[in-house]
Amino acid sequence: MKTILLILGKETNEFAKGNYNQSLFTIAVETLKAGYEVLTTIVEDSYDVPEEIAKFKQADAVIFQYPVYWFMMPASLKRYMDDVYAYGEFFAFSGGEYASGGLMKGKKFMLSTTWNAPLEVFNNNNPNSFFAGRSVEELLLPMRKSQEYCGLEELPHFSCHNIIKNPQFESDKDRYIRHLTRVFLDPSF
């Protein structure tokens, strides 16, 4: 049986309780346990670095679930990566082309993000809009490239939008289950 690692990178605070991300994380665990051994990490609950490295080595795929704060990942998720993505475990200098020393080759990753930005501000072909017509994937480039640097292969990502001003959790839940099923439970994975 294949193994999947789900990492919850939410931060609970007075303004943002993290319920949306926690719920999506739980949905992923419940949906994927039918076809995978599921490993989990909730970053804000603390973690053991050697154990996390072992989880990555065991996993065939990794899903990062997190809110986008100020157009970046939460500080605790960045700290997790700084702590866990160790030289000699995740990457090494190969002497070849830049970024060719990833040690997690053969593994895949997916980002599942929540945004307060509404969906229509992305991919809108308006160079004068806030994101200048960029896609979610373009804005997530640093996180995507961090995984690629370590050798992980990118899967189709998932995002929920306008979650504070106009949450649509039931439709997001249904979309997420369909996405997870298509990406991970389809026999081609």
Side-chain angles (χ1 to χ4, degrees):
M1 177 179 274
K2 288 188 174 187
T3 302
I4 196 161
L5 170 59
L6 290 106
I7 299 171
L8 179 57
K10 72 175 176 79
E11 291 180 353
T12 304
N13 58 54
E14 189 173 327
F15 177 71
K17 306 289 186 219
N19 295 336
Y20 222 94
N21 283 277
Q22 179 69 55
S23 295
L24 291 170
F25 178 80
T26 301
I27 288 164
V29 169
E30 292 302 312
T31 301
L32 296 172
K33 71 181 182 182
Y36 289 85
E37 177 182 350
V38 177
L39 306 174
T40 62
T41 297
I42 300 173
V43 173
E44 73 178 352
D45 289 350
S46 81
Y47 50 87
D48 176 75
V49 171
E51 184 180 316
E52 293 305 304
I53 293 169
K55 287 179 185 179
F56 267 89
K57 288 182 176 182
Q58 184 181 348
D60 296 291
V62 181
I63 298 174
F64 294 88
Q65 177 66 59
Y66 63 96
V68 174
Y69 288 167
W70 289 106
F71 317 107
M72 295 174 271
M73 71 183 78
S76 62
L77 182 56
K78 173 63 168 75
R79 181 67 203 193
Y80 171 89
M81 290 173 59
D82 289 344
D83 291 343
V84 175
Y85 284 35
Y87 177 81
E89 300 286 356
F90 282 74
F91 66 97
F93 302 117
S94 68
E97 187 176 330
Y98 180 77
S100 64
L103 300 177
M104 293 288 168
K105 289 179 173 66
K107 300 176 185 302
K108 300 178 181 183
F109 78 97
M110 185 189 99
L111 307 179
S112 176
T113 55
T114 58
W115 301 72
N116 193 42
L119 183 59
E120 58 269 11
V121 301
F122 302 95
N123 295 320
N124 61 13
N125 297 319
N126 180 354
N128 297 318
S129 70
F130 185 75
F131 291 125
R134 290 182 181 89
S135 68
V136 168
E137 286 77 12
E138 288 174 291
L139 294 167
L140 294 173
L141 186 66
M143 181 60 156
R144 293 171 47 225
K145 286 299 180 183
S146 295
Q147 307 319 307
E148 184 181 338
Y149 188 84
C150 296
L152 285 87
E153 179 185 332
E154 196 166 359
L155 291 167
H157 304 298
F158 181 81
S159 59
C160 298
H161 299 274
N162 219 7
I163 69 157
I164 295 174
K165 286 184 182 177
N166 188 22
Q168 301 292 316
F169 184 75
E170 287 306 312
S171 65
D172 286 341
K173 173 185 171 182
D174 292 342
R175 277 190 321 108
Y176 195 37
I177 291 169
R178 286 193 308 274
H179 183 83
L180 291 169
T181 300
R182 180 175 48 84
V183 173
F184 293 101
L185 298 174
D186 181 293
S188 65
F189 180 78

